[in-house]
Amino acid sequence: MPRQAVLILDFGGQYNQLIARRVRECNVYCEVKPYTMSLADIRAFDPMGIIFTGGPNSVYDEKAPHVDPAVFDLGVPVLGICYGCQLMAQALGGSVTAAQDDSAREYGKTETWYDTNCRLFRDLPECGISWMSHGDYMEKVPEGFSLAAHSRACPNVAIADEKRGFYGVQFHPEVNHTEHGVDMIRNFLYHVCGARGEWTMEDYKHTAIAAIREKVGSGRVLLALSGGVDSSVCAALLAEAVGRQLTCVFVDHGLMRKNEGDEVEAAFRPWDINFVRVDAEDRFLTKLSGVTEPERKRKIIGEEFIRVFEAEAKKIGAVDFLAQGTIYPDVIESGAGDAAVIKSHHNVGGLPDYVDFKEIIEPLRLLFKDEVRQLGRELGLPEYLVSRQPFPGPGLAIRIIGEITKEKADLLREADAIYRQEIAAAGEDRNISQYFAVLTNTRSVGVMGDGRTYDYTLALRAVTTSDFMTADWAQIPYDVLDRISTRIVNEVQGINRIVYDITSKPPATIEWE
Ligand code: XMP
């Protein structure tokens, strides 16, 4: 059976990845490509449907991005979103102008009425909120199209040519603010493009394993395993595919969270692979001794990591493939087509230069983060690894303010573990994107029993965010904060005061260093 794939042509819209995620959530494979993709490449991709994204331009601008109009002759259904809708309208003989009066410009949540006889809106309520963001107006709808939705201000919020399978919406069905937006995308995929819903992580697992086996043959694969979600899932997939041909090197720099090293090791016990765990705590702590400046800490850890990895790689000898856990958002953001993009915290600063290998393999490069997690579950990785929150490469080093010592790292590990336990027990982990404790460099006076203490202040950080570029501080209930504070000061000797960080990003960052 031929592969089913949707092509998303990106016109620079801020939601391009979101559209792709929605399509994949509907169990349909898709890829995001720049709008400059040639007609020959589009043909070769053989899409079952094409989606044009939104974009910041106006279609009548001189430099506005366009597509080859022959794309409309391929016999492939098209869904144009916002700019994509206007582009399609213009290309097919309609006209688009700047909205003359404010009432025709629409931004934000807008009450919208849908024609539920149109395939795009089949089985949906006749009225709902849609998320608009357009300042242009479709003055003339192209021939063959009918009006399929309207708002108070705009008679042509959606247009449809059911015969050719062309649809345009001026709003953004991919954002959560649009009620039933995903249903509209699903209707396009299933009722217009004829999707069969074949894209599942179970299928992907089998396909990826077969592809890895074919590529690797009897070669040897080396992977730097950090214990993060991406590298862990990458390791599990390779383990399943090539077993003992895989060597995972897990460098434990001694700045991991409590039990983390053991957990990572335990997770890979079911597979018969070469698992090398390097206990490099002393080495890292010696190098970091006396260092207080955050960027120096990062640099030292990055460099030391490479040295340790290099030493292990030398012991292993030449390998054929160096595996990396690059995922799809890194590939899309680069806009660089097939060029390998190496996220700095995947390889902690340029491993390939130091290791003797022939080729890089990146078995997750087409997957979104939520798909990577799902694949991890399919592969049988434990939930604590698969749903792990982000953890910075330099680890606790950037959560210990000032000089790093083993004593401080142990204090922080204990306090952080209690914090995480209590957040999970309260069910707050489902609402919070990232949470951790920070050991400040401040000591203050306290009283415990009848005695005076002069101990460290611990800061608790918790944020909600969708992209980690901006973040809000999480509003943890007071009773949960109270339990965390009481347990930490009682159970961790050396900490006598707990504060909660109530700063958003910006102006603060998520980490303290
Ligand atoms: P900031 O502190 O910049 O953090 O708001 C944003 C996200 O990135 C993580 N982070 C890092 N990850 N190496 C990493 O792999 C690093 O050096 C690093 N610094 C910050 C941070 O945990 C948060 O998720």
Side-chain angles (χ1 to χ4, degrees):
M1 213 184 291
R3 156 200 92 130
Q4 289 202 315
V6 163
L7 177 64
I8 297 173
L9 283 185
D10 180 14
F11 291 90
Q14 52 180 325
Y15 304 124
N16 59 7
Q17 290 197 27
L18 206 50
I19 299 172
R21 280 173 53 194
R22 295 285 176 259
V23 171
R24 300 244 189 128
E25 278 164 26
C26 294
N27 300 111
V28 176
Y29 180 68
C30 64
E31 287 187 30
V32 181
K33 298 283 186 187
Y35 72 91
T36 48
M37 189 178 191
S38 71
L39 195 65
D41 287 345
I42 293 176
R43 272 211 187 90
F45 185 93
D46 190 21
M48 68 186 301
I50 301 177
I51 299 179
F52 295 164
T53 74
N57 300 75
S58 289
V59 286
Y60 46 79
D61 284 349
E62 226 171 83
K63 289 194 186 125
H66 287 286
V67 277
D68 186 333
V71 78
F72 298 106
D73 300 328
L74 294 173
V76 176
V78 178
L79 170 63
I81 295 175
C82 205
Y83 179 86
C85 168
Q86 290 155 7
L87 178 83
M88 179 164 68
Q90 196 194 46
L92 294 173
S95 66
V96 177
T97 57
Q100 290 305 315
D101 61 287
D102 282 349
S103 64
R105 266 181 221 127
E106 292 181 299
Y107 295 100
K109 294 181 179 175
T110 309
E111 207 173 1
T112 307
W113 286 264
Y114 305 104
D115 173 3
T116 52
N117 292 317
C118 171
R119 278 187 288 178
L120 200 60
F121 305 118
R122 190 188 282 182
D123 298 328
L124 264 58
E126 284 177 6
C127 178
I129 297 296
S130 73
W131 180 259
M132 299 276 190
S133 175
H134 67 97
D136 288 335
Y137 178 70
M138 224 182 323
E139 204 171 40
K140 181 169 161 255
V141 170
E143 216 168 294
F145 280 78
S146 57
L147 306 185
H150 68 274
S151 66
R152 279 200 180 84
C154 180
N156 50 23
V157 164
I159 55 170
D161 178 342
E162 301 255 33
K163 237 185 179 157
R164 288 186 287 178
F166 293 163
Y167 299 84
V169 292
Q170 305 243 37
F171 57 88
H172 289 273
E174 70 277 21
V175 304
N176 281 333
H177 299 307
T178 296
E179 292 172 347
H180 304 286
V182 181
D183 297 323
M184 298 170 196
I185 292 173
R186 187 176 294 112
N187 279 347
F188 175 69
L189 299 170
Y190 285 80
H191 297 319
V192 181
C193 304
R196 294 188 293 262
E198 291 163 351
W199 175 253
T200 65
M201 281 305 107
E202 196 198 341
D203 284 344
Y204 180 79
K205 181 180 86 172
H206 298 302
T207 316
I209 287 172
I212 292 167
R213 284 189 183 143
E214 191 180 331
K215 176 156 193 175
V216 169
S218 59
R220 291 183 353 151
V221 186
L222 178 64
L223 173 79
L225 180 65
S226 71
V229 177
D230 303 343
S231 73
S232 297
V233 175
C234 188
L237 185 63
L238 288 163
E240 199 70 36
V242 297
R244 283 200 75 77
Q245 289 160 255
L246 171 69
T247 302
C248 290
V249 175
F250 171 49
V251 177
D252 186 345
H253 52 32
L255 295 155
M256 300 285 196
R257 288 164 293 195
K258 191 175 177 182
N259 298 334
E260 198 164 18
D262 293 342
E263 284 173 4
V264 173
E265 194 170 348
F268 286 93
R269 222 161 272 145
W271 284 282
D272 184 22
I273 56 172
N274 303 298
F275 188 96
V276 181
R277 177 172 174 180
V278 190
D279 177 6
E281 183 184 37
D282 288 345
R283 202 171 154 159
F284 278 85
L285 288 182
T286 306
K287 283 274 172 193
L288 287 165
S289 164
V291 177
T292 56
E293 212 266 308
E295 280 313 302
R296 284 260 309 139
K297 289 180 183 175
R298 272 202 171 74
K299 214 162 176 287
I300 289 171
I301 291 175
E303 281 170 5
E304 204 54 20
F305 189 94
I306 289 170
R307 285 213 187 97
V308 175
F309 187 81
E310 181 190 17
E312 287 308 315
K314 273 206 183 111
K315 285 186 212 160
I316 295 160
V319 293
D320 303 281
F321 299 92
L322 184 78
Q324 294 202 324
T326 314
I327 68 171
Y328 199 42
D330 310 331
V331 179
I332 301 181
E333 273 157 15
S334 77
D338 287 330
V341 178
I342 298 151
K343 207 171 169 182
S344 62
H345 69 258
H346 277 136
N347 59 19
V348 202
L351 286 180
D353 292 347
Y354 293 80
V355 181
D356 190 5
F357 69 99
K358 289 187 206 133
E359 212 179 315
I360 287 187
I361 48 172
E362 298 174 308
L364 309 180
R365 64 179 278 124
L366 292 175
L367 303 187
F368 285 108
K369 192 83 177 186
D370 30 6
E371 294 175 316
V372 172
R373 293 189 206 276
Q374 193 49 38
L375 178 61
R377 291 184 189 105
E378 288 292 335
L379 288 159
L381 280 176
E383 193 57 34
Y384 63 75
L385 258 192
V386 167
S387 56
R388 183 161 272 187
Q389 50 170 323
F391 185 63
L396 300 183
I398 56 167
R399 295 178 182 172
I400 296 170
I401 312 305
E403 189 181 359
I404 298 161
T405 62
K406 172 140 175 66
E407 293 66 37
K408 281 183 170 180
D410 286 340
L411 268 190
L412 178 56
R413 249 189 293 270
E414 288 305 317
D416 183 70
I418 294 171
Y419 182 28
R420 287 187 292 131
Q421 269 167 23
E422 289 298 329
I423 288 287
E428 288 294 318
D429 52 339
R430 290 191 290 272
N431 311 323
I432 304 174
S433 313
Q434 194 176 4
Y435 52 101
F436 52 86
V438 174
L439 189 67
T440 75
N441 210 15
T442 296
R443 293 207 282 172
S444 71
V445 175
V447 53
M448 270 194 127
D450 289 330
R452 175 187 191 270
T453 56
Y454 186 60
D455 287 334
Y456 284 110
T457 300
L458 184 90
L460 304 176
R461 183 71 163 139
V463 295
T464 56
T465 174
S466 55
D467 56 9
F468 296 89
M469 309 289 281
T470 62
D472 291 318
W473 60 274
Q475 309 218 358
I476 299 177
Y478 282 173
D479 59 325
V480 180
L481 285 173
D482 187 44
R483 265 199 305 281
I484 295 163
S485 165
T486 307
R487 271 197 67 193
I488 293 175
V489 286
N490 278 310
E491 295 175 35
V492 186
Q493 216 183 355
I495 293 172
N496 68 352
R497 193 179 293 271
I498 314 281
V499 296
Y500 187 49
D501 181 348
I502 52 166
T503 351
S504 291
K505 171 186 179 176
T509 53
I510 295 173
E511 303 286 348
W512 274 37
E513 288 200 333

